[in-house]
Amino acid sequence: DTANTLVFETDATERMRITSAGDVTISSATSTKPHLTITNTNADANSPQFIFKKDSSSPADDDEVGRIYMYGDDDAGNPFEAVLIRGITTDVSNGSEDSRLEFLTYKAGTQTSTLALNSGNVGIGTTSPASYNAYANNLVVYENGHSGITIVSGTTSYGSLYFADGTSSTDPYRGVITYKHDDEFMMFQTSGATVTNLKLDANSRISLSNNDN
């Protein structure tokens, strides 16, 4: 039905249609098609823009301002919303606005919030990292069960967690927790990694450093 619909064809095949409701559909049966390319050829530092705009006369907290959907079919031929990316204005108070960018994927048949960038904090498995302790909510990893973070390094390399309070001298590594894979030991360092306070090897031997004298 093309009533009140604008249809574009090439080679007698429909490529795009715009409905009276403002919906736009671009279709192709060719592999890796269709492509949507936005090009800027201006010789400055600015890029092309793809803009979603929610212009409400009565904005409210938790309004959605944009969505990107990625659909696929399951092995029974049913379409499902494999990936959803959405933007949300969590606080619309003038001068103290907050927002969230959320990535949802499927896990065991259920759509799950996998990653959320929320008001300067990052939540993995949670949309509200700010709900946790303010001293450690910049990155929150949540799972309703076992939860953890894995650091993967080469077989002869270090895996480390650094504690910094600046970017000069030893400020980027005031405290360090490190695992050395080829020598199979873990060490804890302080004072800009100039002191190894504790070292634990694969034989359960513990070395302690005491620099009081």
Side-chain angles (χ1 to χ4, degrees):
D1 181 14
T2 59
N4 299 317
T5 299
L6 181 61
V7 177
F8 296 83
E9 296 183 356
T10 60
D11 197 22
T13 302
E14 180 179 320
R15 302 301 185 190
M16 182 174 75
R17 68 168 48 207
I18 305 174
T19 70
S20 58
D23 295 328
V24 179
T25 301
I26 304 174
S27 59
S28 175
T30 304
S31 177
T32 74
K33 304 292 184 181
H35 289 166
L36 176 61
T37 303
I38 304 174
T39 303
N40 182 314
T41 60
N42 197 358
D44 61 15
N46 299 314
S47 65
Q49 300 179 2
F50 193 59
I51 298 174
F52 293 85
K53 186 175 182 180
K54 170 76 171 179
D55 190 10
S56 172
S57 60
S58 55
D61 293 352
D62 297 322
D63 278 354
E64 290 195 14
V65 292
R67 283 189 172 212
I68 298 176
Y69 294 95
M70 301 178 200
Y71 279 86
D73 292 334
D74 62 22
D75 58 9
N78 303 307
F80 73 102
E81 196 177 285
V83 177
L84 167 61
I85 304 172
R86 62 181 181 178
I88 300 171
T89 53
T90 54
D91 184 353
V92 297
S93 302
N94 183 31
S96 60
E97 298 89 347
D98 287 307
S99 61
R100 180 171 80 240
L101 180 63
E102 188 176 357
F103 296 78
L104 294 94
T105 59
Y106 262 74
K107 178 182 179 181
T110 301
Q111 192 176 58
T112 303
S113 180
T114 304
L115 175 66
L117 312 179
N118 194 344
S119 303
N121 297 323
V122 178
I124 299 176
T126 176
T127 61
S128 55
S131 298
Y132 295 86
N133 190 282
Y135 285 102
N137 63 5
N138 299 97
L139 171 62
V140 176
V141 179
Y142 173 85
E143 178 60 61
N144 186 19
H146 301 299
S147 183
I149 299 174
T150 299
I151 299 175
V152 181
S153 308
T155 56
T156 60
S157 303
Y158 292 91
S160 301
L161 179 63
Y162 280 48
F163 299 86
D165 55 19
T167 58
S168 61
S169 185
T170 60
D171 293 343
Y173 45 89
R174 298 305 302 166
V176 179
I177 302 173
T178 296
Y179 190 82
K180 183 69 164 62
H181 285 267
D182 52 348
D183 293 324
E184 299 290 356
F185 68 77
M186 176 171 282
M187 60 182 177
F188 296 77
Q189 298 172 287
T190 59
S191 301
T194 59
V195 177
T196 299
N197 302 84
L198 185 150
K199 183 176 178 180
L200 174 65
D201 67 18
N203 295 314
S204 298
R205 292 175 299 196
I206 299 175
S207 302
L208 298 175
S209 174
N210 187 335
N211 293 328
D212 288 344
N213 55 13

